[in-house]
Amino acid sequence: MRKWGPLVAICLGTFMLLLDVTIVLVALPAMSGALGTGLSGLQWVIDGYALALAAALLGAGMVADIKGRRPVYLAGLVLFAAASLACGLATSTAVLIAARIVQGLGAAAMFTATLSLLTAAYTGRARSVALGIWGAVASGAAALGPVLGGLLTQGLTWRWIFFINLPIAAATVLLTLRVIPARPAVEPGAGPGRRTMDVSGLLLFAVSGTALVYGLTQAHSGGWSGPQTLFPLGIFLAAGLAFVRLQGRSAHPMLDLTLFRHPKFVTAVLAVFVGQVVAFGFQPYTSVWLQSLAGLSPLRAGLVIVPQAIAAVVVSALGGRALTRVPLKARMLAGLLLIGLGALGQAVLHAGSAWTVLVPGLAVSGLGVGLLTPASSALAMETVDTRRSGMASGTYSTFQQLGYALGVAVFGTLTAARMQQQLTGHVADPHQAAAQLSAGTAGELTAHLTGVARTAVDHLLHAAFASGLNTAAAIGAALAGATALLITAVRFRTPDGPAHLAATATGTDGDRRPVPPASAAAPRR
């Protein structure tokens, strides 16, 4: 136990933080019914966690540089557990969203320390074994999330998808205190270049990302030209520009903008960002459709989604050896195209569709994720030397999570807008009806009807939701295809590699943050 204790402690924390990305998917209708929340509330239950995780990753790495890996990991565990308790006890949507945001902050602190703790605890062959097991656990968490969420929601209540974290977190804290040294003799990633926090940069980045997601989620209710949308988007632009300017002037920036001078790195980040948007952005609404209109239980809805995660795990695990001679760029392109084809394969719903029509598209999309994510992460890290690997991996992981958060916001708005368009002229208040459909409360729209009238309205609602999902999936497929074409046109310069970046880099930054394995991308996945 002493030898593998650190691995168990780290894998338990990783399992929890990645499980909570996907475990909420099948619980959304139950949350909506219990808390009376609508589309924007459901979006923020998902996006609050993903956005906080993305926004805090770089800052958490800075804290770990200063305070050490184990203290940051333990603090993240405690914060994550406290926020999980608050999520489970939440009596309003606002409290649940706030607790999910705090959960994301705790997850960022845990995530940023995992690989550094592993590499400090093991060397040689034992390190290879440990990293392999860690990757498998991360992959399994993403795949198990929808199923476990369905079991807990159906067997107990949706609140237990959060309560389950408490005993795991307690065991992980105790094990970490026992088996992981307070401070290793040499902490991987402890760089001499930074001893202070870039608080201004961290706040500007968080404000910018939050304003963007908020503006996108308000577009359906307030319109694209309404103040509810334009004002937060204006804050996003102002805070984003201020952040870029601040980072460009800093001697030790939180985000080194010189990374974006290199085509390989930009291409890798763009590919994984779009891959996340398309593969997982409309999945929450698919889960709502499966339960509220296709009539599946939470558990069965979770099982429908699982083929995507399993395909991603299998391809990422087996493809590493089988495709070693295939260029990384070619693997990324194939992954994006498969993700696009998978999305297109899901744009086939109609009023009478059964859940089975989605499975082929989900599986193909998973194959694409399994190809894209390891290839893009490898290409991103190929650009930099070891002194910049921490900054590069943190930036890559941040954009990966942002892709998921923005995908949920954008596709939620598009799906609801298309539903409203389909319902206009058929119901008294198409906007409200679309909002109820999106929130998984379709039954409330037909509860007062009987006979032929109920059948007609039920058919209309099925057709409207199917049209909304088809629109989101088709737009996602087009986005993936367009991105693949753009990447095809990119030509990598010969000098663009570790040596070149080492010559242009400013300062040093240790290897602080992990690049997630393929399935850890799931939302984020």
Side-chain angles (χ1 to χ4, degrees), residues 261-282:
R261 296 177 184 173
H262 304 280
K264 286 185 179 181
F265 186 80
V266 173
T267 299
V269 168
L270 175 63
V272 78
F273 178 84
V274 172
Q276 289 284 291
V277 169
V278 179
F280 307 115
F282 57 87

Side-chain angles (χ1 to χ4, degrees), residues 42-418:
L42 293 180
Q43 287 174 315
W44 275 103
V45 169
I46 300 169
D47 277 352
Y49 183 83
L51 188 59
L53 176 56
L57 267 174
L58 293 174
M62 296 165 63
V63 175
D65 279 348
I66 299 168
K67 301 297 184 181
R69 310 294 173 220
R70 193 183 83 154
V72 168
Y73 186 65
L74 286 169
L77 280 167
V78 173
L79 188 63
F80 188 90
S84 297
L85 178 61
C87 286
L89 296 175
T91 56
S92 69
T93 306
V95 172
L96 178 58
I97 293 170
R100 283 285 284 171
I101 291 172
V102 177
Q103 249 196 335
L105 298 177
M110 295 156 61
F111 202 10
T112 199
T114 50
L115 281 187
S116 295
L117 287 172
L118 274 181
T119 54
Y122 301 101
T123 58
R125 180 174 175 79
R127 178 181 291 178
S128 298
V129 172
L131 290 174
I133 293 174
W134 179 83
V137 168
S139 301
L144 185 61
V147 178
L148 184 58
L151 278 171
L152 293 171
T153 302
Q154 186 174 324
L156 298 169
T157 72
W158 63 267
R159 299 181 185 278
W160 280 91
I161 67 175
F162 302 113
F163 289 150
I164 195 174
N165 291 329
L166 300 179
I168 300 175
T172 307
V173 168
L174 293 175
L175 189 59
T176 299
L177 289 171
R178 180 179 178 183
V179 301
I180 296 180
R183 182 177 291 272
V186 178
E187 284 206 6
R194 177 182 291 118
R195 286 289 136 218
T196 59
M197 275 287 294
D198 183 6
V199 177
S200 298
L202 182 61
L203 290 177
L204 284 171
F205 186 82
V207 168
S208 179
T210 302
L212 175 59
V213 172
Y214 182 79
L216 293 173
T217 59
Q218 292 300 305
H220 174 61
S221 59
W224 287 101
S225 59
Q228 290 175 296
T229 303
L230 294 180
F231 182 68
L233 291 182
I235 294 177
F236 154 69
L237 288 174
L241 289 173
F243 173 78
V244 170
R245 186 176 181 182
L246 176 66
Q247 298 304 295
R249 290 182 170 185
S250 175
H252 301 290
M254 184 177 79
L255 175 60
D256 187 353
L257 299 179
T258 62
L259 289 170
F260 294 95
R261 296 177 184 173
H262 304 280
K264 286 185 179 181
F265 186 80
V266 173
T267 299
V269 168
L270 175 63
V272 78
F273 178 84
V274 172
Q276 289 284 291
V277 169
V278 179
F280 307 115
F282 57 87
Q283 197 171 79
Y285 316 108
T286 299
S287 175
V288 171
W289 177 82
L290 286 169
Q291 295 180 66
S292 64
L293 291 177
L296 269 62
S297 66
L299 175 58
R300 291 184 66 193
L303 289 171
V304 171
I305 298 172
V306 162
Q308 184 188 49
I310 292 177
V313 172
V314 171
V315 171
S316 62
L318 300 180
R321 293 182 178 180
L323 301 173
T324 52
R325 295 189 178 183
V326 179
L328 293 174
K329 182 178 177 180
R331 281 186 255 173
M332 286 195 330
L333 287 171
L336 271 175
L337 290 173
L338 285 171
I339 289 172
L341 286 174
L344 199 60
Q346 295 172 68
V348 294
L349 297 176
H350 55 79
S353 291
W355 61 268
T356 51
V357 302
L358 292 176
V359 174
L362 285 166
V364 171
S365 176
L367 296 177
V369 172
L371 279 175
L372 171 65
T373 309
S376 60
S377 63
L379 186 65
M381 302 312 294
E382 181 181 287
T383 307
V384 301
D385 71 343
T386 54
R387 293 182 301 165
R388 311 305 294 164
S389 59
M391 180 73 73
S393 65
T395 303
Y396 175 94
S397 300
T398 296
F399 277 89
Q400 189 178 40
Q401 295 299 326
L402 282 177
Y404 178 51
L406 291 178
V408 170
V410 170
F411 286 129
T413 297
L414 291 173
T415 300
R418 180 59 178 168

Side-chain angles (χ1 to χ4, degrees), residues 404-451:
Y404 178 51
L406 291 178
V408 170
V410 170
F411 286 129
T413 297
L414 291 173
T415 300
R418 180 59 178 168
M419 288 187 212
Q420 181 176 335
Q421 186 181 41
Q422 291 293 103
L423 294 170
T424 299
H426 300 284
V427 298
D429 188 348
H431 178 83
Q432 179 61 27
Q436 287 183 265
L437 271 179
S438 304
T441 55
E444 296 179 7
L445 296 170
T446 58
H448 63 289
L449 300 175
T450 58

